[in-house]
């Protein structure tokens, strides 16, 4: 496990897949840092929270963090988008074990969270605010960084299985260990359900099956040289209701296969003051759609992204680090269906540099610049800077941040036969943060508050006048995020979050001043868990989301809702635990996307073993 006193070599190896200490974050600068060094707003969802909440969907965990809004088309597995601070769902950058997984074959290069179940995921970092200096294209709203577990010392194994509402079966297992120079692990997860009707008022259920596997291997040839190999795979099979017009019962089926790979070599020189990481990452997303199950696919998309990354970290003195790097990526996509085929690809070359300086005790300042050269539209340069000051060794932190973001036009938007526009410019954003974190009574109470403002220009949308995509929109989002964590006694943990997100159209047309679709202004979530002396733990989560609109004209309202859930787990010895939960306790009827259904009250129970 990564500790605060981490060596420089381990800092390098601790790419986003490896940081597991709650005092260490990797998403802000691409290397492991103490939270006291970071001026940006970051929320960590750790392994204990994932296990305690018993959530199946990653998005259900994200929904309890400040600044996050989501929408889902019906049942588990339905198309799901995540918005950070009111940005478009396509402006959320997603990483899995250090690999960028946004789909190059999507209309806007967005990531579909519908198929991302918790499985063997052990940590999630959510960075809010523009950060393209580190992460490049799409990091306008922020970054969601998904990580599987690091190998256990010696040997470790976990397995669980649960069953419940709508014939839902959820099972997962993983093993990991360390021996000599090698450490590694492998895991698998299986989920199936009869589901619900995705369409409101529908009568036939839309079933879903999801298989996910993950693996990693690290070979430490010496204290200075190591090799990291990681892989992640998802297969999904979904029955869904037709979305041509209002959602309605249909026999439609979609299948998805996602392949994620990482191979990286880590080297430390100059007594560890210079570390280097060279890596190749690979993503492939295959999506096939069938009007009737059992027939050949009627249409489909395949998107791949092959990336080369070099990252160097030079620390001439303890008070300063220089992070610098080069990246090359080649996204491409293929489409077939309706009597035609199409394909496209581009090349992007990027260079960046950041300086992390501690000029005074308790003060950390970071500044950086990045330039991306895109084979179609040319270059894009972004800047960013942030600062964190603590006068009392981390009990109080004052944070300031300025970040710029850009999003390259997707291959579909550039080259689609009917609606593409090769003259598109990148979307651009400027983001401002100010906030503080306060820890009291030895971290028994932790309070965080952040105010933010983001302006986005040249946002791409479909132009009904030209029947093609154009840089039409301007948007502004402002708001406040707050979170609190309380541990008044060792047995009781209470967490809460609130966010006010005012995201509006500033394009100057008929919808100028309107709220952006599917982004509620207010959301609050509270969770409480208590561990009893005889091994029973009980908990509850209440999430309340305000009204929003389903369309840009703000004529179709989505009513606000409140969801309550209960959970319990009982340890039966050192290695065995039984658990259960009730979701949507009060059977709330609500919608995150107009015309799509949601799960009502549902109960699940299972057993977990650990070695």
């Amino acid at each position: 496990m990564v500790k605060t006193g981490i060596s420089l070599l381990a800092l390098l190896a601790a790419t986003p897949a490896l940081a597991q200490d709650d005092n260490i974050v990797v998403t802000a600068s691409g290397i492991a840092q103490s939270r006291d060094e970071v001026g940006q707003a970051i929320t960590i969802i750790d392994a204990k929270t994932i296990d305690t909440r018993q959530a199946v969907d990653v998005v259900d965990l994200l929904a309890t963090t400040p600044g996050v809004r989501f929408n889902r088309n019906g049942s588990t597995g339905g198309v799901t988008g995540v918005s950070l601070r009111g940005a478009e769902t396509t402006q959320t950058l997603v990483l899995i074990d250090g690999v960028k997984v946004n789909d190059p074959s999507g209309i806007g290069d967005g990531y579909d969270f519908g198929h991302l179940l918790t499985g063997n995921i052990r940590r999630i970092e959510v960075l809010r605010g523009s950060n393209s200096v580190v992460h490049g294209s799409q990091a306008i709203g922020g970054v969601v960084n998904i990580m599987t577990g690091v190998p256990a010392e010696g040997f470790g194994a976990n397995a669980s299985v649960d069953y419940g509402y709508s014939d839902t079966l959820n099972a997962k297992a993983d093993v990991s260990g360390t021996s000599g120079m090698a450490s590694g692990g492998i895991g698998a997860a299986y989920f199936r359900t009869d589901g619900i009707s995705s369409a409101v008022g529908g009568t036939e259920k839309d079933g879903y099956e999801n298989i996910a596997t993950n693996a990693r291997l690290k070979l430490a040839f010496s204290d200075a040289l190591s090799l990291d190999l990681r892989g992640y795979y998802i297969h999904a099979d979904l029955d869904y209701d037709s979305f041509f017009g209002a959602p309605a019962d249909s026999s439609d089926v979609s299948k998805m296969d996602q392949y994620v790979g990482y191979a990286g070599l880590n080297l430390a020189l100059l007594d560890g003051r210079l570390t280097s990481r060279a890596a190749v990452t690979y993503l492939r997303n295959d999506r096939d759609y069938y009007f009737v199950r059992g027939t050949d696919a009627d249409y489909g998309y395949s998107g791949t992204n092959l990336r080369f990354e070099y990252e160097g970290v030079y620390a001439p003195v303890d008070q300063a680090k220089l992070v610098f790097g080069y990246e090359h990526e080649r996204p491409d996509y293929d489409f077939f269906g309706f009597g035609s085929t199409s394909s496209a690809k581009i090349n992007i070359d990027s260079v960046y540099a950041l300086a992390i300086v501690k000029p005074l005790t308790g003060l950390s300042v970071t500044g950086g610049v990045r330039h991306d050269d895109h084979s179609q539209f040319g270059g894009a340069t972004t800047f960013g800077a942030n600062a964190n000051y603590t006068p009392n060794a981390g009990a109080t932190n004052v944070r300031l941040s300025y970040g710029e973001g850009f999003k390259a036009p997707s291959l579909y938007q550039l080259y689609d036969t009917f609606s593409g526009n090769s003259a598109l410019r990148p979307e651009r954003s400027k983001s401002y943060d100010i906030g503080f974190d306060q820890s009291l009574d030895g971290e028994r109470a932790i309070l965080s508050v952040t105010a933010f403002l983001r302006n986005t220009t040249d946002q791409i949308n479909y132009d009904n006048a030209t029947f093609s995509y154009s840089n039409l929109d301007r948007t502004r989002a402002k708001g406040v995020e707050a979170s609190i964590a309380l541990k008044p006694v060792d047995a009781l943990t209470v967490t809460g979050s609130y966010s006010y997100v005012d995201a509006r159209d500033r394009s100057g047309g008929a919808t100028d001043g309107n709220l952006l679709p599917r982004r509620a202004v207010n959301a609050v979530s509270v969770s409480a868990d208590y561990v009893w002396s005889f091994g029973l733990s009980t908990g509850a989560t209440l999430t309340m989301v305000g009204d929003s609109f389903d369309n840009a004209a703000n004529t179709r309202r989505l009513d606000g809702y409140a969801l309550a859930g209960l959970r319990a787990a009982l340890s039966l010895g050192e290695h065995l635990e039984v658990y259960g939960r009730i979701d949507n306790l009060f059977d709330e009827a609500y919608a995150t996307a107009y015309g799509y259904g949601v799960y009502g009250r549902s109960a699940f129970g299972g057993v977990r073993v650990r070695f």
Side-chain angles (χ1 to χ4, degrees):
M1 181 177 290
V2 178
K3 299 296 184 182
T4 304
I6 193 167
S7 69
L8 283 174
L9 175 60
L11 270 176
L12 177 64
T15 56
L18 296 182
Q20 301 287 317
D21 190 321
D22 283 357
N23 293 317
I24 300 294
V25 294
V26 296
T27 312
S29 63
I31 65 171
Q33 287 181 278
S34 166
R35 297 192 70 159
D36 295 341
E37 296 180 5
V38 177
Q40 296 167 299
I42 298 179
T43 296
I44 297 172
I45 303 172
D46 60 15
K48 182 179 180 182
T49 301
I50 295 171
D51 288 342
T52 300
R53 300 277 178 86
Q54 302 179 28
V56 171
D57 292 271
V58 166
V59 74
D60 290 335
L61 293 168
L62 297 176
T64 63
T65 63
V68 175
R69 306 290 188 267
F70 81 96
N71 57 81
R72 179 191 289 130
N73 291 357
S75 62
T76 299
V79 175
T80 305
V82 169
S83 168
L84 300 179
R85 289 183 170 175
E88 299 299 313
T89 58
T90 56
Q91 296 170 344
T92 299
L93 179 71
V94 183
L95 304 170
I96 295 180
D97 280 346
V99 180
K100 180 179 177 181
V101 293
N102 291 67
D103 185 1
S105 69
I107 291 178
D109 287 352
Y111 183 77
D112 180 5
F113 281 84
H115 302 307
L116 187 63
L117 308 186
T118 52
N120 290 308
I121 291 168
R122 307 308 294 155
R123 179 184 173 97
I124 304 170
E125 290 185 11
V126 183
L127 180 146
R128 301 180 298 278
S130 301
N131 193 352
S132 283
V133 169
V134 175
H135 296 287
S137 177
Q138 293 185 288
I140 286 180
V143 181
V144 177
N145 192 355
I146 307 291
M147 310 173 208
T148 56
V150 298
E153 294 293 334
F155 171 81
N158 302 274
S160 67
V161 59
D162 54 71
Y163 179 82
Y165 176 79
S166 195
D167 198 22
T168 298
L169 176 66
N170 182 34
K172 55 188 175 183
D174 69 271
V175 295
S176 65
T178 301
S179 178
M181 64 179 286
S183 61
I186 188 169
Y190 176 77
F191 177 90
R192 71 152 312 277
T193 182
D194 286 348
I196 60 172
S197 174
S198 291
V200 168
T203 58
E204 55 90 21
K205 292 183 176 181
D206 294 307
Y208 180 60
E209 181 181 61
N210 183 295
I211 300 170
T213 60
N214 63 282
R216 66 167 66 242
L217 174 66
K218 180 176 180 179
L219 300 175
F221 303 110
S222 69
D223 290 341
L225 181 65
S226 65
L227 173 68
D228 281 329
L229 302 174
R230 307 173 204 143
Y232 201 95
Y233 169 73
I234 301 174
H235 168 77
D237 185 323
L238 171 70
D239 297 326
Y240 69 96
D241 288 331
S242 175
F243 53 83
F244 295 105
D249 281 346
S250 70
S251 58
D252 291 81
V253 175
S254 71
K255 297 183 180 181
M256 189 277 289
D257 289 282
Q258 182 180 92
Y259 308 85
V260 179
Y262 175 98
L265 192 65
N266 310 306
L267 177 65
L269 300 171
L270 304 178
D271 295 325
R273 293 197 174 275
L274 174 62
T275 57
S276 295
R277 176 178 65 88
V280 175
T281 74
Y282 179 76
L283 166 74
R284 177 168 175 166
N285 253 26
D286 293 332
R287 296 180 289 131
D288 293 326
Y289 297 86
Y290 308 76
F291 295 138
V292 179
R293 182 178 293 278
T295 62
D296 293 334
D298 293 282
Y299 63 101
Y301 304 84
S302 179
T304 65
N305 194 0
L306 180 66
R307 290 169 55 91
F308 169 78
E309 305 172 348
Y310 170 77
E311 178 187 75
V313 182
Y314 178 55
V317 295
D318 292 341
Q319 293 78 27
K321 288 188 184 78
L322 177 64
V323 183
F324 53 93
Y326 164 77
E327 298 172 356
H328 172 80
E329 65 178 293
R330 191 190 66 191
D332 65 73
Y333 91 101
D334 294 281
F335 166 79
F336 73 88
F338 310 112
S340 67
T341 61
S342 62
S343 63
K345 62 183 178 181
I346 55 169
N347 291 280
I348 305 174
D349 291 279
S350 311
V351 292
Y352 64 91
L354 297 92
I356 304 171
V357 182
K358 299 178 181 178
L360 302 171
T361 300
L363 176 63
S364 179
V365 179
T366 300
V369 61
R370 180 188 185 99
H371 182 77
D372 293 82
D373 186 69
H374 190 284
S375 58
Q376 178 61 44
F377 66 73
T381 301
T382 50
F383 299 90
N386 64 82
N388 187 314
Y389 176 66
T390 174
N392 48 18
T396 304
N397 288 274
V398 179
R399 296 177 281 104
L400 295 170
S401 175
Y402 168 75
E404 295 182 358
F406 87 98
K407 180 186 176 300
S410 72
L411 293 170
Y412 183 91
Q413 292 165 339
L414 285 168
Y415 302 120
D416 177 65
T417 303
F418 302 102
S419 58
N421 178 1
S422 60
L424 288 171
R425 303 182 301 277
E427 302 174 347
R428 306 298 296 259
S429 70
K430 294 182 178 181
S431 176
Y432 310 84
D433 282 25
I434 182 170
F436 74 88
D437 310 309
Q438 181 64 55
S439 175
L440 301 171
D441 194 18
E443 297 191 349
R444 287 200 176 271
I446 301 174
L447 173 67
S448 297
V449 178
T450 305
F452 69 88
L453 171 68
R454 184 188 64 253
N455 292 309
T456 305
T457 58
D458 285 334
Q459 195 158 294
I460 297 169
N461 207 339
Y462 187 77
D463 189 345
N464 290 313
T466 63
F467 304 105
S468 65
Y469 287 95
S470 298
N471 295 97
L472 295 176
D473 296 345
R474 302 171 64 94
T475 65
R476 170 174 288 185
K478 60 183 179 180
V480 177
E481 302 162 339
S483 63
I484 189 169
L486 303 174
K487 200 172 184 66
V489 295
D490 290 342
L492 177 62
T493 301
V494 180
T495 60
S497 69
Y498 167 76
S499 54
Y500 169 83
V501 179
D502 184 39
R504 295 184 181 269
D505 187 335
R506 295 300 185 197
S507 305
T511 60
D512 187 74
N514 285 3
L515 290 169
L516 298 180
R518 299 182 179 179
R519 274 151 276 192
V521 174
N522 294 286
V524 61
S525 181
V526 179
S527 294
D529 290 276
Y530 189 85
V531 180
W532 302 83
S533 59
F534 53 92
L536 175 69
S537 63
T538 54
T541 295
L542 176 64
T543 300
M544 295 178 287
V545 179
D547 295 348
S548 62
F549 294 96
D550 191 66
N551 59 348
N554 285 187
T555 57
R556 193 159 55 202
R557 181 179 294 275
L558 297 172
D559 291 334
Y561 56 91
L563 297 179
L566 299 178
R567 54 186 171 268
L570 177 64
S571 295
L572 302 175
E574 184 179 354
H575 303 294
L576 182 64
E577 180 182 73
V578 293
Y579 61 90
R581 72 182 190 277
I582 301 174
D583 295 336
N584 196 358
L585 179 64
F586 302 113
D587 205 25
E588 178 88 345
Y590 67 101
T592 60
Y594 183 80
Y596 287 97
V598 295
Y599 281 83
R601 184 187 299 111
S602 50
F604 307 86
V607 60
R608 180 184 292 121
V609 294
R610 298 187 180 94
F611 298 97

